[in-house]
Amino acid sequence: MRMYDLIMKKKHGETLTDEEIRFLVNGYTKGGIPDYQMSAFLMAVCFQGMNEAETLALTMAMAESGEILDLSAIHGMKADKHSTGGVGDKTSLILGPMVAALGVPVAKMSGRGLGHTGGTIDKLESFPGFSVSISNERFFENVNRMKLAIIGQTADLAPADKMLYALRDVTATVDQLSLIASSIMSKKLAAGSDVIVLDVKAGSGAFMKTYEDARKLAETMVKIGNGAGRKTYAVISDMNQPLGYAVGNILEVKEAIEALNGRAPEDLSDACMTLASYMLLGAGRVTDITEAKELLAETIRSGAALTKLAEFVEAQGGDKRYVYEPDRFPRANRTYEVKAQADGYISAMNTEEIGLTSLLLGGGRETKESEIDLTVGIVFEKKIGAKVSSGDTIAVLHANDETKLSAAVTKLQNAVTIGQTPLSPVPHILGVVEQS
Ligand code: URA
């Protein structure tokens, strides 16, 4: 088999066999296929696409390029949730404890933030002492004992995807549906859970800017997950504005703690209730979504989910007093109120730019190695649809550096549009894909 022939085949829109896909993934991972040939192949995929069978074969070959986590030491059906990347997305911190409080094991492998999107691990590290670097044995033991543990992605998880993603990033081949779907699903399959709930974001802060594209991606990933024997659901959610009001690590953790105390903004509550409901349904803990939502609401009312968060933070070395006394978290040196420049209604938010504003303040990484400032970020007072008068505060920036702050103010002002027409509210949950 020659890589040249496979590039030619895809260039002409022909279908590759499983064996051919495995050959190119293994060859590239082991160094036998150079970057230039793989780049040509990826570009051919961008123009010709891949069918379902090819996408599944690519996913499996990438998943099997490294360690497939064996979670069989954990009792019961394990549920995982994965977001395609958003701004202000703190759902894992809320739904993990809720689902675990209902006895469903959540053995989660999470990532750090990159680019304009945040990551669960950075948020969790806001708790002094918290660590995701725990041994597999402790990970399994914690999940068996209290149903929730989160570790970082190991270097050996789908290494083929890691290499291919880096290549796609520099060859303008990221935004192809089969390539995105296989990249995400290879990591989820390798991470070992029985139930996978995907949060596919659509909008200005998401990878998929339109609902139609998000739905296609969701359907493809659900098919791959179910095809690989995992119970898979995808929830399509709106990312035309940040989720909740807080963006930035400690600010988001505090909002998550508020949510676990029963004070979640509506969109954040909808997101957590829906995603968590499908985790419970997939794990067989409930028979329908209505039952799931009732049980989940009770974990908030009774305080069981908040207690679970404290237990989980402590089990991974963190200081659980911060869960009950969030004022202990350090604050940025300075706050600055960004005001409305006109009367009207907030009609649009460029959410990617909002994520980048938080990054500019120091809350995200420019590169994988960057140090982040956990205290900085943005707390919105108004979101889409809100009526504003000139001079009203739209958001409060939390900053530690004057130069970064002044750049962030301009960026945020440009990211928010004030129009003259009132808008009808858009639901946060746009659709659910169960089987396609
Ligand atoms: N996230 C991933 O992990 N892979 C992609 O290709 C896109 C988003």
Side-chain angles (χ1 to χ4, degrees):
M1 210 177 285
R2 290 194 318 154
M3 186 60 182
Y4 177 93
D5 299 325
L6 303 187
I7 299 169
M8 185 67 87
K9 218 171 155 182
K10 191 40 79 187
K11 184 174 102 172
H12 290 132
E14 289 169 40
T15 303
L16 301 194
T17 65
D18 276 24
E19 200 193 351
E20 287 167 335
I21 289 174
R22 259 178 207 280
F23 167 83
L24 65 88
V25 169
N26 292 341
Y28 184 62
T29 316
K30 295 199 176 101
I33 293 172
D35 280 352
Y36 54 83
Q37 281 192 312
M38 188 51 98
S39 306
F41 176 77
L42 291 169
M43 192 55 84
V45 171
C46 285
F47 286 113
Q48 297 289 0
M50 281 184 144
N51 69 17
E52 262 172 42
E54 288 176 297
T55 310
L56 179 59
L58 179 60
T59 309
M60 296 314 292
M62 293 201 294
E64 287 162 12
S65 65
E67 183 194 13
I68 304 262
L69 213 61
D70 176 6
L71 300 185
S72 57
I74 301 172
H75 319 305
M77 290 275 279
K78 279 76 67 183
D80 193 1
K81 189 269 320 177
H82 178 84
S83 146
T84 57
V87 177
D89 185 354
K90 64 283 291 174
T91 53
S92 294
L93 304 182
I94 304 163
L95 61 77
M98 286 164 90
V99 171
L102 290 167
V104 170
V106 180
K108 205 167 156 36
M109 206 179 254
S110 285
R112 293 186 184 277
L114 188 68
H116 75 283
T117 65
T120 301
I121 295 181
D122 298 324
K123 289 168 204 171
L124 284 169
E125 285 176 351
S126 301
F127 291 101
F130 187 94
S131 172
V132 286
S133 308
I134 55 175
S135 65
N136 280 2
E137 289 67 36
R138 193 157 149 224
F139 178 60
F140 297 158
E141 204 266 314
N142 284 4
V143 184
N144 276 333
R145 183 163 48 83
M146 52 178 204
K147 307 295 175 215
L148 176 61
I150 298 184
I151 51 170
Q153 259 159 31
T154 60
D156 199 35
L157 188 92
D161 172 64
K162 204 171 186 186
M163 290 174 68
L164 278 169
Y165 192 85
L167 187 64
R168 286 165 59 210
D169 209 17
V170 292
T171 54
T173 53
V174 171
D175 58 351
Q176 202 283 331
L177 196 142
S178 290
L179 298 180
I180 298 173
S182 56
S183 164
I184 292 174
M185 291 308 289
S186 64
K187 286 174 286 211
K188 286 292 111 182
L189 297 181
S193 280
D194 309 295
V195 180
I196 301 168
V197 179
L198 301 158
D199 182 7
V200 181
K201 312 271 192 196
S204 63
F207 222 53
M208 297 284 133
K209 304 292 179 205
T210 67
Y211 172 77
E212 290 69 30
D213 284 349
R215 177 140 202 126
K216 267 188 242 151
L217 178 61
E219 285 171 357
T220 306
M221 293 197 289
V222 167
K223 225 171 247 174
I224 293 172
N226 286 323
R230 313 293 172 88
K231 196 112 194 84
T232 310
Y233 304 92
V235 173
I236 303 164
S237 66
D238 180 64
M239 200 20 79
N240 279 309
Q241 56 184 340
L243 185 56
Y245 290 100
V247 180
N249 294 287
I250 285 178
L251 299 171
E252 290 189 42
V253 171
K254 285 173 143 179
E255 190 171 47
I257 292 171
E258 276 291 287
L260 288 169
N261 277 297
R263 294 183 290 271
E266 199 179 328
D267 58 349
L268 182 57
S269 169
D270 283 355
C272 294
M273 293 298 260
T274 309
L275 293 162
S277 293
Y278 282 96
M279 291 168 83
L280 297 180
L281 187 68
R285 175 69 175 78
V286 294
T287 48
D288 60 47
I289 295 298
T290 314
E291 184 192 357
K293 288 192 173 165
E294 278 162 18
L295 292 177
L296 289 163
E298 188 49 33
T299 67
I300 301 288
R301 270 195 299 273
S302 66
L306 188 73
T307 308
K308 186 57 73 180
L309 176 69
E311 204 185 335
F312 153 68
V313 165
E314 188 174 44
Q316 294 198 210
D319 187 340
K320 73 171 180 186
R321 290 174 303 171
Y322 285 66
V323 172
Y324 298 112
E325 299 160 45
D327 283 341
R328 283 179 176 271
F329 283 111
R331 290 168 181 269
N333 293 333
R334 162 144 167 59
T335 55
Y336 181 94
E337 294 180 0
V338 175
K339 313 266 188 195
Q341 310 280 305
D343 295 348
Y345 299 86
I346 298 196
S347 58
M349 291 178 130
N350 184 332
T351 311
E352 184 166 349
E353 283 297 300
I354 292 169
L356 291 172
T357 306
S358 176
L359 185 130
L360 192 65
L361 288 167
R365 285 186 184 77
E366 306 272 355
T367 68
K368 280 206 164 115
E369 286 72 37
S370 312
E371 281 278 319
I372 57 173
D373 182 343
L374 295 168
T375 61
V376 299
I378 312 162
V379 179
F380 284 89
E381 293 196 0
K382 305 271 193 295
K383 297 214 306 180
I384 291 183
K387 190 171 190 308
V388 290
S389 302
S390 180
D392 283 356
T393 301
I394 293 179
V396 179
L397 297 181
H398 293 240
N400 283 321
D401 177 309
E402 287 301 319
T403 318
K404 288 178 180 170
L405 175 61
S406 73
V409 170
T410 313
K411 208 169 183 56
L412 191 64
Q413 254 153 1
N414 292 337
V416 178
T417 309
I418 297 177
Q420 293 313 309
T421 341
L423 297 175
S424 18
V426 177
H428 178 67
I429 304 299
L430 304 172
V432 177
V433 177
E434 299 200 19
Q435 273 283 6
S436 47

